[in-house]
Amino acid sequence: MKKIPLTLLLTFILVYSIKGQTKHLTQIGEVHEIQSIVMGMDRSFYVQLPDNYNPERPVPYPVIYLVDGESLLPALATVHQFYSGGFIPESIMVGINNSVNRTLNLTPSSVDMLFGQPAKDNSGGAPRFLDFIKSELIPLIDQ
């Protein structure tokens, strides 16, 4: 009988610690939004500037574009900060949010059936997603 309250307590702690971590992870990078003509919707993205970035002194930085930026940008920022060993130059990191329509944005062809079942998600939008990155997002970041 004592195992049940302990299990509930541990579950409660685990759920709230994960929830707290998720909140922390989304704080990496500054959130921006662009109205995409190519995609026909607003797209959000995160920009993480180098520590020594100074808008008064424009210096060209390499730019790293990362899909699934809402979840992968914190990991990339951590690797860059602590584990690069000086081999990765100071960079601007752009994490493209893919929390909505991920399957559509990252699949090159349309799939109607999946494992003998009707496909749940739309697919086949990768060419348009790449066009958005090339023609709208990269020029905006380059400004």
Side-chain angles (χ1 to χ4, degrees), residues 52-64:
N52 62 355
Y53 181 81
N54 182 352
E56 303 293 320
R57 289 184 307 124
V59 174
Y61 289 99
V63 181
I64 301 169

Side-chain angles (χ1 to χ4, degrees), residues 20-31 46 48 70 74:
Q21 289 174 1
T22 303
K23 182 179 178 184
H24 175 71
L25 292 177
T26 58
Q27 294 174 0
I28 300 290
E30 185 176 320
V31 181
Y46 304 85
Q48 179 72 27
E70 74 282 358

Side-chain angles (χ1 to χ4, degrees), residues 28-43:
I28 300 290
E30 185 176 320
V31 181
H32 297 271
E33 198 164 281
I34 180 174
Q35 186 176 10
S36 172
I37 295 168
V38 172
M39 300 293 291
M41 64 188 304
D42 290 344
R43 295 297 312 232

Side-chain angles (χ1 to χ4, degrees), residues 66-82:
L66 185 68
V67 295
D68 295 336
E70 74 282 358
S71 58
L72 298 178
L73 184 61
L76 178 62
T78 300
V79 167
H80 187 269
Q81 183 177 5
F82 294 112

